[in-house]
């Protein structure tokens, strides 16, 4: 099974529709997934990214076989598995709450799935020991989950999934219960492990930074549908919708009308010299601008066509300041700047890069 570019596909979902029934007499049914189709490349780290309620966890559970879809099909390794129970789908699943057995030792938690497969005691012991060593848990086999830190419990959950040597690894927000520092460390560890093992991985998160850092491919979801699929760079730098632009990172959306000269006249009256195609004259466009693609310069600077604005707020972020500039008429632009600016300062604005979004806000 291959995708449109000819790359091998490990998991394919096609036309998946999931509807949850109404709750109570006055409630209405909820369409969790609306004809979703996606290919997940073999060996890649793919992430389903989106806000709570967008359908990403439901899709993951349908791939795993824990939830049944009303329509559509799932293929794993070229085999249609829509009617196949979870334990026969050759997957490993890491839950948000880890789902460790509190009365079982680390060794027994990791060995649980192997014993269900009726492997010999020697093989179970060898594979569990190997998995614990890979996870940095050697020497902790006799401990119980309650004796472990959050990060160690997360490693046990990963070891339990990987010890089965599954074809596909599914992770449902596995880091959400960790503190920020440990979360950053563990996502790097998960990515390192995935690269070392080469296993096809599908990861669910609502954390944009997490998705951009660890993924080969990101599928951004909203309201039961997939808005955009691409590399982290494509999703961040070339968003195809207002939702993707605003959900993934910080962005300024500037809407205006294209002039005969190819400039963009903003709603507040300011003229944005972007060098657009003059053939688009008269069209209304929305332009997405990332803060790092904006330079603030003294208004007396010469040789560069300047847009002017007034500083309305600044935020200190350590090595950089985030500055909000009013371009007039309430139209605001966010920029990154290293020097100190005060509220009310008038500055020149240079936009180095932008992305045109077809839909308007």
């Amino acid at each position: 099974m291959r995708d449109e570019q000819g790359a091998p596909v490990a998991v394919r979902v096609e036309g998946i529709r999931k509807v949850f029934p109404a709750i109570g007499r006055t409630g209405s049914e909820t369409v969790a997934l609306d004809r979703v189709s996606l290919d997940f490349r073999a060996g890649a780290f793919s992430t389903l990214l989106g806000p709570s309620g967008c359908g990403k966890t439901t899709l993951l559970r349908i791939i795993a076989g824990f939830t049944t879809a009303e329509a559509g099909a799932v293929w794993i390794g070229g085999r249609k598995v829509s009617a196949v129970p979870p334990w026969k789908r050759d997957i490993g699943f890491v839950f948000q709450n880890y789902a460790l057995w509190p009365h079982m030792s680390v060794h027994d938690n990791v060995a649980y799935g192997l014993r269900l497969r009726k492997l010999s005691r020697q093989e179970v012991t060898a594979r569990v020991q190997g998995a614990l060593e890979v996870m940095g848990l050697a020497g902790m086999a006799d401990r119980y989950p309650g004796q472990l830190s959050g990060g160690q419990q997360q490693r046990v959950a990963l070891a339990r999934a990987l010890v089965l040597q599954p074809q596909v690894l599914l992770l449902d927000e596995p880091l959400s219960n960790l503190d920020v520092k440990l979360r950053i460390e563990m996502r790097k560890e998960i990515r390192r492990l995935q690269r070392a093992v080469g296993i096809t991985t599908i990861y669910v998160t609502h954390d944009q930074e997490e998705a951009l850092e660890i993924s080969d491919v990101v599928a951004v979801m909203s309201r039961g549908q997939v808005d955009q699929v691409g590399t982290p760079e494509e999703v961040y730098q070339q968003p195809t919708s207002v939702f993707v632009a605003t959900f993934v990172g910080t962005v300024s959306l500037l809407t205006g009308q294209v002039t005969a000269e190819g400039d963009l006249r903003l709603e507040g009256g300011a003229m944005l010299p972007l060098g657009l195609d003059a053939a688009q004259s008269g069209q209304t466009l929305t332009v997405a601008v990332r803060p790092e693609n904006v330079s603030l310069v003294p208004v007396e600077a010469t040789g560069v066509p300047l847009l002017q604005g007034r500083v309305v707020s600044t935020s200190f972020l350590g090595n950089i300041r985030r500055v909000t500039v009013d371009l007039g008429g309430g139209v605001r632009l966010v920029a990154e700047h290293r020097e100190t600016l005060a509220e009310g300062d008038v500055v020149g604005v240079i936009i180095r890069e932008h992305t045109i979004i077809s839909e308007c806000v």
Side-chain angles (χ1 to χ4, degrees):
M1 184 176 289
R2 295 183 178 272
D3 62 15
E4 295 179 353
Q5 288 72 45
V9 171
V11 178
R12 170 172 290 171
V13 296
E14 189 173 84
I16 296 295
R17 179 175 172 81
K18 177 61 182 176
V19 179
F20 290 108
I23 299 177
R25 295 182 178 179
T26 59
S28 58
E29 66 180 19
T30 300
V31 179
L33 295 169
D34 189 9
R35 305 292 178 181
V36 171
S37 296
L38 272 176
D39 282 342
F40 299 91
R41 292 187 177 183
F45 195 115
S46 301
T47 296
L48 300 174
L49 172 66
S52 298
C54 71
K56 56 188 185 297
T57 291
T58 300
L59 181 59
L60 195 75
R61 293 181 63 86
I62 288 173
I63 294 172
F66 300 144
T67 300
T68 303
E70 277 72 48
V74 177
W75 283 265
I76 297 178
R79 179 173 68 115
K80 190 174 181 179
V81 297
S82 303
V84 176
W87 58 91
K88 293 185 178 181
R89 294 196 180 193
D90 196 15
I91 61 162
F93 198 103
V94 178
F95 296 88
Q96 184 174 359
N97 63 356
Y98 314 141
L100 300 178
W101 299 103
H103 63 287
M104 289 185 182
S105 66
V106 167
H107 177 280
D108 290 344
N109 265 284
V110 177
Y112 185 78
L114 296 176
R115 288 172 176 160
L116 289 180
R117 295 185 177 186
K118 302 188 183 303
L119 300 182
S120 68
R121 179 178 297 179
Q122 293 79 6
E123 186 172 358
V124 169
T125 299
R127 286 173 63 169
V128 169
Q129 288 178 347
L132 293 181
E133 288 175 2
V134 169
M135 290 295 169
L137 296 170
M140 297 187 182
D142 294 330
R143 296 190 186 182
Y144 289 83
Q147 298 173 312
L148 303 177
S149 68
Q152 289 169 337
Q153 290 183 38
Q154 198 262 356
R155 289 171 187 263
V156 173
L158 271 173
R160 184 179 59 185
L162 289 173
V163 76
L164 299 175
Q165 299 175 357
Q167 185 175 351
V168 179
L169 178 63
L170 308 176
L171 301 101
D172 183 16
E173 303 218 38
L175 307 181
S176 61
N177 295 325
L178 304 180
D179 61 54
V180 175
K181 182 178 180 180
L182 185 55
R183 185 183 181 112
I184 293 173
E185 292 176 358
M186 289 307 303
R187 72 191 186 204
K188 291 179 179 178
E189 182 65 17
I190 289 175
R191 182 54 166 149
R192 182 201 65 77
L193 182 67
Q194 188 271 338
R195 284 175 173 166
V197 177
I199 187 172
T200 302
T201 300
I202 305 176
Y203 189 97
V204 162
T205 185
H206 64 274
D207 188 316
Q208 304 95 319
E209 182 179 307
E210 190 169 278
L212 295 178
E213 179 178 351
I214 65 178
S215 308
D216 294 313
V217 178
V218 178
V220 185
M221 297 186 65
S222 172
R223 298 181 180 180
Q225 296 183 326
V226 177
D227 270 40
Q228 183 175 353
V229 179
T231 65
E233 292 82 4
E234 289 170 342
V235 169
Y236 182 80
Q237 297 174 358
Q238 302 166 28
T240 57
S241 70
V242 167
F243 172 77
V244 174
T246 54
F247 186 76
V248 182
T250 300
V251 71
S252 300
L253 297 177
L254 306 177
T255 299
Q257 191 172 51
V258 180
T259 68
E261 294 75 25
D263 298 330
L264 189 68
R265 186 185 303 277
L266 301 181
E267 293 176 339
M271 194 72 70
L272 203 59
L274 296 181
L276 299 170
D277 187 347
Q280 296 176 293
S281 177
Q283 293 185 23
T284 300
L285 296 178
T286 293
V287 173
V289 183
R290 298 292 183 187
E292 63 271 22
N293 292 325
V294 180
S295 294
L296 302 181
V297 299
V299 292
E300 60 267 20
T302 59
V304 179
L306 291 181
L307 184 68
Q308 290 190 15
R310 187 177 299 275
V311 175
V312 294
S313 67
T314 63
S315 300
F316 179 67
L317 302 179
N319 64 336
I320 202 75
R321 288 175 171 81
R322 187 154 288 172
V323 182
T324 301
V325 178
D326 191 324
L327 301 178
V331 176
R332 296 189 172 186
L333 182 69
V334 179
E336 290 184 352
H337 195 65
R338 294 192 178 278
E339 300 175 3
T340 301
L341 291 171
E343 293 184 15
D345 286 351
V346 177
V347 294
V349 179
I350 299 174
I351 297 176
R352 299 189 304 277
E353 293 183 27
H354 67 277
T355 300
I356 296 176
I357 301 177
S358 57
E359 60 180 301
C360 298
V361 293

